[in-house]
Amino acid sequence: MSDGLRFDDVAISRDERLLLAVDARIPPGEVLTLMGPSGSGKSTLLSLVMGDLPAAFRATGRVVLNGTDLTGLDVAARHVGILYQDPLLFPHLDVATNLAFGLPRGGRRADRRATVDAALADIGLAGFGARDPATLSGGQAARVALMRTLLSRPAALLLDEPFSKLDTGLRDQMRELVFGRARVARVPVLMVTHDEADAQAAGGQVIRLD
Amino acid sequence: MLRPLPLLTTLVLVGPVLFGLIGSILPASGLLMQSAETPFATALSWPGLPRALAISILSGVLSTLGALAVATLILAGWHGTRAFAVLERALSPLLAVPHAAAALGLAFLVSPSGWIFRIPANLLGWDRAPDLLILGDPWGLSLTAGLIAKETPFLLLMMLAAMGQADAGPRMAIARSLGQGRVAAWLKAVFPTIYAQVRLPVLVVLVFGMTNVDVAIILGPSTPTTLAVQVTRWMTDPDLAARAVAAAGGLILFAATLAVLALWWLGERAIGSVGRAWVWSGIGLPDRAARGVGLTLAGGSAAMVLAGLAALAVWSVAARWAFPDMLPEALTWRSWMRFGPDMAQTALTTLGLAVTATAVSLLLVIGCLEAEVRHGLSLGQRALWLLYLPLLVPQVTFLPGLQLLPLTLGIGPSIWLVLAGHIVFVLPYVFLSLQGPFRAWDGRLARVAAGLGTSQNRVLWRLRLPMLVSPVLTAVAVGMAVSIGQYLTTLLLGGGRVTTLVTEAVALSSGGDRRAIGVWGLGQAVAALLPFALALGVPAIVFRNRRGLRHV
């Protein structure tokens, strides 16, 4: 069953104060944008989906991913990928091993190598496998981070202000890449941002918090 | 005035080690001391040597691996949870407990007539302690276990301090969202960075484990013992010729230490490539089991040390306490009355040494750090290795030389030599403890003050140090704990004539007077813990009306 990411009457509060309430469905391949100033609690919704909501917050309602209720499920079992404004490549691993990090188990070693090499070629970084992530440019690192998440075959993708640290020129390119890939993979996307242009590029529903 | 301090500090760190090594090499080669002929050959032909070396290496390597594994598992599985906060609070004071006191407590606990065996004895109705060789078992397993319990808190706190640089929160979020369980995610994504940060402390633990004397005397096997203990026996032998043999033995142990360090280095590489293959495989870990093991081992080792201290305390006030009773029949201050006056005298010497050594170290450290601020003078890129040098060269290797070389120059063992020795080991810890907070202090405050016409000295005395009172006091407490724990330094450089709480407690350990051990062991632990209590309490009182300075 793949009906995307659904928020059934979800409300998050802190100290008895309601932070935000969402009731929405993100169909596969589409983007829901959550806009609001910092401190409006938009990132806590990401935490709720990820499954690492700090203990100070209280959530009611259900988050349902492709028919499965996520409540109480372990972080690792949710298959929810996330991209932050920093690419957060693991600095002690080379680029190829970073990509291999999220590959689901199984398959022969040579097949896994081939998958990673193909993924590198796919984002225009063929031959970059042995590189130290610290030597990549901002745009290259962002692409590797995206590909690392996609290789783990996520059932949903979360974006936490993902383009805010990129140069303006790169930003459009990255938006196109991320949203395009999500559409092809039919992955529902939840994006948190305060950049109006992000919401326009995403072209889906927008929820504004204040 | 500050300019010579970095150089002076370097000399304090490097000088004694080099001087001591030379002082060991010369007599070991048959030079310097006429009485000895072929010290190396004598040491090498000691029949216990292979076994002693094996136990030294085994207990050192296993205890380091064990402590590292427990600290890693507990951090990987529990960091950020409530259980972790509780454990951290329980483990921190254990760091201050001197090795000897902790070992004495553990000995009470695990001996066949100790608390642990009294539990089945009560249940099964034994009226005599089981005839088991647990303490001083021939392969040094209880020694290894004791070292693990004592070193785990040290490594854990070192790793915690390194967490800031590892970006652990976001990395964990990414790794777990990529499908890894908590422990596997931490090991794959965070551990390598943390390990790179705590590598030197790990090596210190390894060298200490292989070459320590006080813990090995209390918990280790006796015939043969570890090589470090045997070297100490030779050093304290009335026959002067034995000292040259001791120097040779210390150098043999040094060679073994270097070999083990080289193997460790190779092991690090091997683990690195195994780790990368593990990442490629995508295989995880049984998360629940790994977390359970981590919590059990860490909680267990903390509980053992604490229960050991409690055993010391109870024995110190025990009237008649027969096996298998869990508690003595009555409590009495008799033991304290009996040993108290002696102990007060010894405690004065101990504290005098600790205060002086810490004060000198603090002066050098603050001077060095301030010279860095004012003149851009620092100990250089290799500063960290310099600081660790006295901790990485085994004490049993260079302390014999430090006694023998002055002796040939007509300078006999004395309390001044002991004090100098204490400074060598206190200084690195004071430096390591203070350098972070000192460098992190907001320099803009100094510029604001300078703009108001304040001199650099005034900035140091009226702004920087008062604001840093909490880390300075912590550094003082660390320094004092290190000094109070110095066994071999005091024994060798004092020629057996300088008595401190630790030398007395270790000397008593071979006798069977549990009440005396209780009093002296507890006294040593309290002496080391007291400065920490003050370091926590004083800033809380001084800054009770300054919210910005709390939790500094």
Side-chain angles (χ1 to χ4, degrees):
Chain A
M1 203 162 126
S2 100
D3 65 345
L5 184 60
R6 218 172 66 219
F7 296 95
D8 289 350
D9 282 323
V10 168
I12 303 179
S13 54
R14 177 176 192 158
D15 304 331
E16 306 295 315
R17 203 170 55 84
L18 184 70
L19 272 180
L20 68 127
V22 182
D23 189 56
R25 188 176 86 89
I26 314 172
E30 292 192 21
V31 184
L32 170 68
T33 306
L34 203 57
M35 295 211 43
S38 48
S40 61
K42 50 192 194 311
S43 292
T44 53
L45 189 65
L46 296 186
S47 295
L48 180 68
V49 182
M50 285 283 289
D52 57 3
L53 192 69
F57 297 91
R58 230 172 61 79
T60 55
R62 298 196 314 155
V63 183
V64 181
L65 179 56
N66 294 339
T68 313
D69 186 351
L70 293 184
T71 314
L73 213 58
D74 184 72
V75 180
R78 296 183 175 216
H79 301 289
V80 173
I82 187 162
L83 288 176
Y84 295 98
Q85 50 185 316
D86 294 305
L88 288 170
L89 299 179
F90 301 127
H92 56 286
L93 303 173
D94 64 17
V95 171
T97 316
N98 260 283
L99 287 176
F101 201 102
L103 274 183
R105 280 181 65 174
R108 289 183 304 129
R109 195 183 159 84
D111 295 337
R112 300 171 74 81
R113 278 263 166 214
T115 311
V116 166
D117 286 342
L120 274 172
D122 190 15
I123 49 173
L125 293 176
F128 276 63
R131 287 273 288 266
D132 175 357
T135 64
L136 300 184
S137 71
Q140 290 169 337
R143 274 179 281 162
V144 174
L146 169 67
M147 194 44 89
R148 177 175 67 178
T149 307
L150 291 177
L151 281 179
S152 73
R153 286 183 231 136
L157 183 59
L158 308 180
L159 306 176
D160 192 354
E161 316 228 357
F163 313 115
S164 60
K165 279 208 179 159
L166 294 172
D167 296 336
T168 350
L170 274 172
R171 224 177 269 180
D172 284 330
Q173 243 179 303
M174 239 355 247
R175 283 189 189 118
E176 210 171 297
L177 186 67
V178 172
F179 298 136
R181 292 299 167 121
R183 212 173 302 128
V184 173
R186 295 192 45 79
V187 176
V189 180
L190 173 63
M191 174 166 64
V192 154
T193 181
H194 54 241
D195 186 346
E196 202 65 54
D198 285 349
Q200 276 168 21
Q205 326 160 53
V206 178
I207 296 179
R208 285 170 208 279
L209 303 169
D210 38 37
Chain B
M1 200 191 96
L2 288 172
R3 284 178 185 273
L5 280 184
L7 185 64
L8 184 62
T9 306
T10 309
L11 286 179
V12 169
L13 291 167
V14 181
V17 178
L18 284 184
F19 200 66
L21 280 176
I22 296 169
S24 291
I25 291 171
L26 292 180
S29 323
L31 301 166
L32 210 62
M33 294 174 61
Q34 266 119 34
S35 51
E37 281 173 19
T38 51
F40 261 115
T42 314
L44 285 171
S45 63
W46 174 54
L49 186 68
R51 182 66 174 254
L53 253 183
I55 300 167
S56 295
I57 292 171
L58 203 68
S59 61
V61 171
L62 286 183
S63 64
T64 309
L65 286 175
L68 188 60
V70 176
T72 302
L73 270 181
I74 192 74
L75 258 179
W78 297 90
H79 184 243
T81 66
R82 193 190 296 254
F84 186 84
V86 171
L87 200 67
E88 194 192 340
R89 217 162 295 157
L91 288 172
S92 309
L94 294 189
L95 200 56
V97 177
H99 279 91
L104 287 170
L106 283 171
F108 273 8
L109 211 57
V110 303
S111 78
S113 59
W115 252 341
I116 289 180
F117 275 100
R118 287 176 190 235
I119 297 171
N122 270 303
L123 295 175
L124 304 172
W126 305 339
D127 51 1
R128 283 180 46 197
D131 191 15
L132 292 170
L133 187 60
I134 296 178
L135 275 183
D137 62 284
W139 284 106
L141 295 179
S142 50
L143 168 62
T144 305
L147 286 169
I148 292 177
K150 185 65 184 83
E151 301 299 355
T152 300
F154 173 66
L155 287 183
L156 182 64
L157 292 183
M158 285 311 218
M159 290 170 96
L160 261 178
M163 287 288 275
Q165 274 119 354
D167 224 2
R171 276 199 218 172
M172 283 296 280
I174 293 276
R176 297 189 68 196
S177 77
L178 292 172
Q180 296 295 319
R182 196 181 173 111
V183 177
W186 202 89
L187 291 179
K188 288 178 181 180
V190 182
F191 178 74
T193 310
I194 301 278
Y195 184 78
Q197 297 275 333
V198 299
R199 202 157 165 245
L200 285 171
V202 169
L203 298 184
V204 168
V205 169
L206 180 60
V207 172
F208 182 84
M210 282 184 62
T211 66
N212 78 85
V213 174
D214 43 359
V215 186
I217 288 182
I218 297 166
L219 294 175
S222 44
T223 37
T225 164
T226 66
L227 185 51
V229 174
Q230 183 60 38
V231 170
T232 311
R233 282 186 192 161
W234 280 326
M235 265 316 274
T236 46
D237 196 305
D239 177 9
L240 275 178
R243 300 199 185 174
V245 181
L251 289 167
I252 294 171
L253 187 56
F254 188 34
T257 311
L258 289 178
V260 169
L261 286 176
L263 284 175
W264 189 270
W265 183 78
L266 287 176
E268 283 174 352
R269 321 236 121 193
I271 296 281
S273 42
V274 168
R276 278 187 292 279
W278 187 33
V279 169
W280 270 94
S281 75
I283 296 171
L285 268 184
D287 212 39
R288 262 167 186 286
R291 294 184 74 196
V293 169
L295 192 64
T296 312
L297 290 178
S301 69
M304 290 283 280
V305 179
L306 288 174
L309 291 178
L312 289 177
V314 175
W315 267 112
S316 78
V317 292
R320 217 181 94 81
W321 191 2
F323 189 88
D325 299 343
M326 290 306 282
L327 287 171
E329 284 168 15
L331 301 184
T332 165
W333 289 110
R334 211 173 51 216
S335 309
W336 286 90
M337 312 275 250
R338 203 167 122 214
F339 305 110
D342 257 2
M343 195 168 73
Q345 200 62 41
T346 309
L348 269 182
T349 316
T350 310
L351 289 179
L353 276 170
V355 167
T356 318
T358 307
V360 172
S361 302
L362 195 64
L363 239 116
L364 286 173
V365 168
I366 291 179
C368 275
L369 291 169
E370 185 66 14
E372 198 176 299
V373 173
R374 291 194 197 173
H375 312 297
L377 288 173
S378 68
L379 297 178
Q381 286 295 313
R382 303 188 191 288
L384 212 52
W385 279 98
L386 262 179
L387 284 176
Y388 276 97
L389 184 72
L391 310 178
L392 287 174
V393 178
Q395 291 195 352
V396 276
T397 304
F398 74 96
L399 284 180
L402 228 40
Q403 187 206 67
L404 297 177
L405 201 53
L407 201 59
T408 58
L409 304 174
I411 306 168
S414 70
I415 191 144
W416 301 106
L417 210 52
V418 174
L419 176 64
H422 279 221
I423 293 170
V424 176
F425 300 106
V426 169
L427 180 62
Y429 284 104
V430 172
F431 206 120
L432 292 169
S433 153
L434 194 56
Q435 62 170 352
F438 198 96
R439 291 186 180 130
W441 186 71
D442 190 346
R444 292 175 307 176
L445 289 168
R447 260 174 270 152
V448 169
L452 299 172
T454 315
S455 72
Q456 283 182 319
N457 282 331
R458 229 175 124 76
V459 167
L460 176 67
W461 292 108
R462 303 303 297 272
L463 281 179
R464 196 187 271 260
L465 291 179
M467 282 181 71
L468 292 177
V469 73
S470 187
V472 167
L473 287 178
T474 306
V476 167
V478 169
M480 291 192 55
V482 170
S483 169
I484 290 169
Q486 288 301 314
Y487 173 69
L488 197 64
T489 322
T490 315
L491 183 73
L492 293 191
L493 300 185
R497 283 193 294 276
V498 177
T499 321
T500 59
L501 291 174
V502 64
T503 57
E504 200 64 17
V506 175
L508 282 170
S509 72
S510 55
D513 189 345
R514 297 189 163 208
R515 288 174 184 82
I517 296 175
V519 170
W520 285 91
L522 195 67
Q524 199 210 355
V526 169
L529 282 168
L530 220 52
F532 278 91
L534 290 177
L536 283 177
V538 168
I541 295 168
V542 174
F543 294 131
R544 65 190 176 283
N545 295 323
R546 296 285 179 273
R547 214 142 64 95
L549 284 175
R550 280 189 215 146
H551 312 292
V552 184

